[in-house]
Amino acid sequence: VTPVLALGLLFRDASGRGTRRLFPERRRFVETGAWIAGLALVLALPAAHNVAVGREFILTTANAGANFYIGNNPSNATGEYQQLPFIRANPKYEQQDFAREAQRRGGQVLSDRELSAFWFGESWRWVREEPRAWLRLLWSKLRAFWGAYEIPDSLDYHLYREFAPVLRLPVPGFGLLAPLALLGAALALRRPGWPRLLLLLVGAYCLSIVAFFVFSRFRMVVIPALYVFGAYAGVELARRWRAAVRGGAGTWRPALLATGLFLLLWVFVNVPVRARTDGWSFRTASVVGLPTRGETSMLGRHNLGVAYARKAKEVSASEEE
């Protein structure tokens, strides 16, 4: 999101007068340059490490191409993580397995940067051959990003709820926050200043995840911004309905339009109802006839079992010593 936010900082209208300059003031260049320099200082550490160890300039990690292929290939129908047939689903082995498969397909040993470029190329080759299938996949990923269901990977929110009483409290979750935030973003679209910077942040970050694949923990980065937009939507809805009750017939339209948009966004986020089949939301949706998609915590339980087995093995080995 750095390039998008940098442009937003350069050309933002902080005055609120709606004016624009063809060329930003010098102060804007200094502010934006200082922000980018701060990011560069942080990113320089892993980049320097990678140059020293791998003799290649890699900014952070070298698995961008592999991750892009996981989320953009002919066998991925959901846009979520999938275990490819030639990959062992373990961070210790994934890079090795991708390198082995790339060598099998291309016939040569690749460096880390070349390996990432290879898998980007494999994905784009499929995109060029099947553009409609890719667009459908992008739509599925967009729905998954904004969907109420917390998509698990090694961290399963729904499994953790069984062990953490605070997570079982009947408080609103993403299913309410997301439609409120989307409504707030729509209502704040024309406001200059900070709302547009937040819109840029949320939009750019959303696209960066949709371009790869979706997990619930990936979208946590923008949750603070969504709280701001959700709060703005709540205040604006209350203001419009207060004005409608106090005013005449003409004042009802803004309140009804905002409420109608919220209901449409709620459907976009919450339908079909994705939930564990033993949960109240899934059972309620089934009773009232809403579209459903049953989920389980099978993967989370498997990971938990593997962790227990590893711990038991460590304890056994220490006792033998």
Side-chain angles (χ1 to χ4, degrees):
V1 302
T2 299
V4 176
L5 286 181
L7 290 175
L9 288 169
L10 274 176
F11 294 100
R12 75 188 189 280
D13 175 24
S15 67
R17 294 190 296 268
T19 58
R20 284 286 186 274
R21 288 176 176 268
L22 182 60
F23 298 103
E25 302 172 356
R26 181 181 177 182
R27 176 174 57 86
R28 298 285 178 83
F29 282 104
V30 174
E31 292 175 350
T32 307
W35 179 67
I36 294 175
L39 292 174
L41 285 173
V42 176
L43 294 175
L45 297 175
H49 168 269
N50 293 338
V51 170
V53 174
R55 299 294 184 266
E56 287 185 297
F57 178 77
I58 298 171
L59 195 58
T60 54
T61 60
N63 59 351
N67 282 337
F68 191 76
Y69 184 80
I70 290 174
N72 300 274
N73 69 78
S75 65
N76 192 329
T78 64
E80 300 170 18
Y81 177 84
Q82 63 169 178
Q83 184 176 350
L84 297 168
F86 55 86
I87 295 297
R88 289 168 286 180
N90 188 316
K92 291 173 62 177
Y93 308 116
E94 283 184 346
Q95 189 79 348
Q96 301 173 22
D97 294 344
F98 270 112
R100 187 180 299 110
E101 179 65 13
Q103 184 177 355
R104 186 189 70 81
R105 296 186 185 189
Q108 57 181 334
V109 178
L110 303 175
S111 68
D112 287 333
R113 286 192 65 175
E114 292 170 341
L115 182 64
S116 183
F118 174 86
W119 288 110
F120 270 120
E122 290 290 280
S123 292
W124 287 118
R125 181 168 59 83
W126 171 70
V127 170
R128 289 192 296 269
E129 293 173 355
E130 299 287 344
R132 292 184 180 180
W134 183 59
L135 289 176
R136 288 194 296 269
L137 183 61
L138 288 180
W139 174 248
S140 297
K141 289 192 278 189
L142 186 67
R143 290 293 308 272
F145 183 92
W146 290 105
Y149 180 65
E150 301 287 354
I151 301 173
D153 55 340
S154 57
L155 304 176
D156 189 336
Y157 169 80
H158 306 280
L159 179 61
Y160 285 1
R161 291 184 67 184
E162 298 180 15
F163 301 93
V166 68
L167 296 180
R168 295 197 296 271
L169 294 176
V171 296
F174 198 81
L176 178 62
L177 172 62
L180 274 176
L182 289 171
L183 175 64
L187 296 177
L189 191 59
R190 294 185 178 182
R191 290 193 57 177
W194 63 265
R196 292 183 179 174
L197 284 178
L198 278 185
L199 284 169
L200 284 175
L201 170 65
V202 174
Y205 187 81
C206 172
L207 292 178
S208 73
I209 299 302
V210 167
F212 287 79
F213 55 86
V214 182
F215 281 143
S216 64
R217 66 180 174 90
F218 288 174
R219 69 185 181 191
M220 286 180 65
V221 174
V222 293
I223 293 297
L226 299 188
Y227 284 144
V228 175
F229 283 127
Y232 178 76
V235 171
E236 186 65 16
L237 279 172
R239 185 190 66 80
R240 292 188 180 197
W241 277 107
R242 192 182 303 113
V245 171
R246 294 176 179 176
T251 59
W252 286 87
R253 184 179 179 186
L256 291 173
L257 286 175
T259 304
L261 180 57
F262 168 74
L263 293 175
L264 287 176
L265 292 171
W266 188 92
V267 172
F268 172 76
V269 170
N270 290 278
V271 179
V273 177
R274 291 185 64 181
R276 279 183 22 174
T277 53
D278 59 348
W280 66 268
S281 58
F282 183 87
R283 293 196 295 265
T284 303
S286 300
V287 169
V288 301
L290 289 175
T292 58
R293 178 176 167 182
E295 301 288 349
T296 69
S297 289
M298 179 180 65
L299 179 60
R301 295 188 186 280
H302 169 78
N303 291 335
L304 191 60
V306 171
Y308 278 133
R310 186 186 304 117
K311 186 65 177 177
K313 187 176 181 180
E314 293 173 357
V315 171
S316 178
S318 64
E319 289 177 351
E320 292 177 359
E321 292 176 359

